[in-house]
Amino acid sequence: MKKLKSYLRTKNNNKQSMVTRLVSRGFSSQVQHSFVTTPIFYVNAAPHIGHLYSSVIADAIHRFNQITLPNEGGACFLSTGTDEHGLKIQQAAIKHSSSTEDYCDAISSKYRKLFARFHIDYTRFIRTTDTDHRQAVQAFWKSLVSSGSIYSSSYSGWYCVPDETFLTDNQLKENERGEKCSAESGHPVEWTEEQNYMFRLSRYQDDVRHWVKGLDGRRIQPDKFGRILLDYLAEPLPDISISRPMNRVSWGIPVPMDISQSVYVWLDALVNYLTVIGYPKENFTTRWPPTVQVLGKDILKFHGIYWPAFLIAANIEPPRQLLVHSHWTVDNQKMSKSKQNVVDPNERAELYSCEGLRYFLLREGVAHSDGNYSDTKVLRILNSELADTLGNLLSRCCGKALNAGSIFPAVDEDAFEALQNIDATKRMLEVLEEMPDKTLNHYRNYNFYLVVDTVVHLLHTANNFFESTAPWKLKKSDNPKDRAMLKTIISVTMEVLRQTGIVTQPIVPELSRQLLDKLKISQSARRWDDLNVSFRTYDTALGVEDGILFRRIVQPVAQTPASRKKPEKHASKKGN
């Protein structure tokens, strides 16, 4: 007892030392690399819109880093993939009358196809059935053994198969049938008694608490999820099971030196973030730690408590930051198979396009609160903002009525001087000047909806500028001053479009590429540093065919996620 008290005193006195020492070895001051992760997705079912949401958030962060970090994004890494082990996968394969391997192959390929379709620019797609991952998990296990963090014990408790986790009594409730289930997910539980290996989670509680509070209070974003973790950490943490008997869960990675046990699926899954950058090879530290890990709020405890504890025990620095997002409801109802309201992103992409759906998710999603998906809202936003506001502005500048030669014209100095006497011009130039700094700040705070708000506000002022200056009236004049004014109005408007194209690359990469291609902006001039206002001093021929960037979507008859009827699409005809 005396030794234990002495140990606890020493640990409390030095509770910052473990994390501080690990951080000092990493990229903890000015980070010049970017390592972004999505959670790896469980292959018990096909991907839905929630999986896509996690992925587009991570992809937007990754793409933003590519255009802002030095070396043209060469130090940027994005990982995603599929989690394929565990009892739930065994059961799903049996249900589908398939071998476990074939079942995993089929579902994992659906994720690959989805990410390719939605332009998720991942560096590594990992599967937990990959050979190098098995090697990484076993090496990580051995490092936990070496630190004295693992012991064998007889374990009994309530196990939730759908959530693949053991639950304490205060994490349980009774459903309407009087059966015990998870208080958080509502999934059923079963009493389990078995011999397991246990992880000394209680040993690392103070270190994890110190880590959560780090990075000037911005470790866990949004702040509300950091407070949730600190509430968990206010109570003593029990040691946790990190293995299952192989005769119960055979579809898993064997525990090193004990083939009667398989590594618990959550420990196995979390190690994927190490596998993708080469662990256990020594050079894995050149990319470690992750700069931000994107995850849903339902797996906060695993990433915010277990994961840093595992890493600290293995003498590896924990992630710099976690970005936790909320879920999506559908027409204000929880998304579930039983309600038949699960939104299939592939099906919705047929209606709204992949770029349109990406735009909606990042435009409407707010990390701290659940978002609400509805087809009515998608149609309204895409038609109003992408077709009528952005698309129509490009069409006006490049249409045959005003710019039959499809030219990005030079600005006439005298005409520009005269334009600045118009209030609509002043407002637009002021907003244009402020836009790069505002959107930079919003990106750095992962507020993608505010990035879009800022850009749309700029586009509205540009459309107002266009209406106020009425260039179609100048088109009829043969006066050289009027012709110079016409070209200047078009050129100034196109500068707004150029900056819009650069800023929105992380949000809608393909749509932005098309816009910048139409404006003939070279690939080397699409980085954040290229956002300084730069009015044309020479004419440039554009790569414009019909000038249409995003076509308006006609509202389908049935507005439900299950609707199979595809709406007709036609070009926006608004404007001159």
Side-chain angles (χ1 to χ4, degrees), residues 300-373:
L300 173 61
K301 183 185 292 186
F302 296 98
H303 285 78
I305 295 180
Y306 299 164
W307 180 222
F310 291 151
L311 289 167
I312 293 167
N315 201 33
I316 299 172
E317 183 183 347
R320 284 185 57 80
Q321 195 171 48
L322 301 184
L323 174 59
V324 188
H325 65 77
S326 299
H327 294 161
W328 283 89
T329 59
V330 181
D331 293 325
N332 295 308
Q333 292 189 339
K334 184 177 180 180
M335 189 165 53
S336 68
K337 292 179 183 178
S338 61
K339 293 179 181 176
Q340 296 185 322
N341 67 347
V342 176
V343 179
D344 178 352
N346 286 303
E347 179 185 291
R348 295 295 98 182
E350 291 297 317
L351 299 171
Y352 309 122
S353 79
C354 295
E355 293 294 277
L357 196 53
R358 273 187 70 120
Y359 182 85
F360 172 79
L361 291 175
L362 292 172
R363 202 261 184 278
E364 282 296 295
V366 179
H368 58 73
S369 303
D370 288 348
N372 181 50
Y373 178 94

Side-chain angles (χ1 to χ4, degrees), residues 138 141-142 145 197 254-261:
Q138 294 189 326
W141 181 282
K142 291 175 183 177
V145 171
Y197 285 101
V255 168
M257 311 303 292
D258 187 353
I259 60 172
S260 70
Q261 296 274 318

Side-chain angles (χ1 to χ4, degrees), residues 36 56-65 292 294 323 446 448:
V36 182
V56 295
I57 289 174
D59 185 63
I61 297 169
H62 174 63
R63 289 178 181 275
F64 170 73
N65 291 338
V292 60
V294 177
L323 174 59
Y446 313 123
F448 306 108

Side-chain angles (χ1 to χ4, degrees), residues 38 70 200 203 229 262 267 296 320 350 385 469 484 503 520:
T38 76
R200 300 183 193 278
R203 175 187 288 183
L229 286 179
S262 61
L267 174 56
R320 284 185 57 80
E350 291 297 317
E385 297 181 358
T469 54
V503 168
K520 283 292 181 71

Side-chain angles (χ1 to χ4, degrees), residues 523-536:
Q523 292 291 334
S524 62
R526 300 183 180 188
R527 293 180 54 76
W528 202 269
D529 290 343
D530 298 307
L531 279 175
N532 54 304
V533 176
S534 178
F535 292 120
R536 285 297 166 99

Side-chain angles (χ1 to χ4, degrees), residues 38 51 99 108 113 143 196 202 254 318 324 341 400 406 457 524:
T38 76
H51 302 124
S99 72
S108 185
K113 290 175 183 175
S143 71
N196 285 345
S202 53
V324 188
N341 67 347
K400 292 180 180 179
S406 293
H457 177 55
S524 62

